[in-house]
Amino acid sequence: MTGGAVAAADGGLRCPWGLSTEDYLWYHDTEWGRPVHGDDALFERLCLEAFQSGLSWLTILRRREGFRSAFAGFSIPAVAEFTEADRERLLADEGIIRNRAKVDATMANARVLAGWGAGELDELIWSYAPDPLSRPAPKTLGDVPAVTPESTALAKELKKRGLRFIGPTTAYALMQACGLVDDHLADCVSRPTPV
């Protein structure tokens, strides 16, 4: 899909991807592109974006509650304490994606982040948000990049600090999902009106 915003059943124009399922419509209208703050909340998004790698986001979205239950609500201190028994439990949990490398990365990343100060993950991630005035609103999906210099730099910094399973594309998806960038199309009803 490289087209512009499309009218939904309510007549409002939306990003085309947001109209393919009810799950996507809800996510598009209520969450995607809105600012997310807090270390645990950003840890959750970082983990889910890593689990999504190579899969449809819809697969992750529909298992999100299963992920939250399996990973103690994505509490960094709680996941940092996970043991080998927890790892085996996760690899047997049909409510999540049972990918050994992704489960191991999530547990390892929680252990790294547990050593950071309160707010440090939030501050670090948000320090890579580009100036919104430096980016024109995309008119079509073809105008939306998959990687940016900021996402490349963020992925590099997170890796340097010991985090795993994060590359420039995953970092950019995180930036989109958490509101560091606004990639709602110019005509989309979910794009804030400039003041």
Side-chain angles (χ1 to χ4, degrees):
M1 287 188 246
T2 58
V6 175
D10 65 4
L13 296 175
R14 289 183 175 77
C15 303
W17 66 265
L19 300 178
S20 60
T21 72
E22 284 297 318
D23 294 321
Y24 270 158
L25 181 61
W26 176 87
Y27 178 68
H28 171 274
D29 285 2
T30 64
E31 187 173 345
W32 190 76
R34 285 164 177 74
V36 174
H37 286 281
D39 292 343
D40 289 346
L42 287 165
F43 175 59
E44 174 184 354
R45 299 332 188 274
L46 189 64
C47 294
L48 293 179
E49 292 295 346
F51 272 100
Q52 185 272 329
S53 182
L55 302 170
S56 161
W57 177 246
L58 189 59
T59 301
I60 303 304
L61 196 56
R62 288 182 172 165
R63 294 179 184 213
R64 191 172 189 182
E65 290 310 315
F67 275 106
R68 285 175 170 163
S69 176
F71 285 98
F74 289 100
S75 162
I76 293 169
V79 178
E81 295 295 323
F82 278 13
T83 64
E84 181 62 28
D86 290 301
R87 179 177 183 265
E88 294 308 312
R89 169 185 57 81
L90 292 165
L91 292 173
D93 189 336
E94 294 181 8
I96 67 168
I97 304 303
R98 297 173 291 172
N99 178 296
R100 187 175 307 278
K102 294 174 183 181
V103 167
D104 289 348
T106 300
M107 292 172 58
N109 289 348
R111 289 185 198 108
V112 169
L113 293 171
W116 292 19
E120 191 173 347
L121 178 62
D122 188 306
E123 184 179 333
L124 174 69
I125 288 174
W126 277 91
S127 73
Y128 287 88
D131 177 354
L133 299 177
S134 70
R135 297 171 42 103
K139 294 188 183 328
T140 70
L141 292 180
D143 297 333
V144 178
V147 172
T148 63
E150 294 88 358
S151 74
T152 300
L154 174 57
K156 184 177 179 180
E157 183 62 24
L158 290 171
K159 282 183 181 179
K160 180 177 148 191
R161 292 182 179 223
L163 297 186
R164 297 167 31 188
F165 230 99
I166 177 91
T169 304
T170 301
Y172 192 66
L174 173 77
M175 293 171 79
Q176 290 175 303
C178 296
L180 280 75
V181 296
D182 184 359
D183 279 342
H184 283 286
L185 300 184
D187 295 330
C188 178
V189 297
S190 291
R191 188 169 188 89
T193 307
V195 193

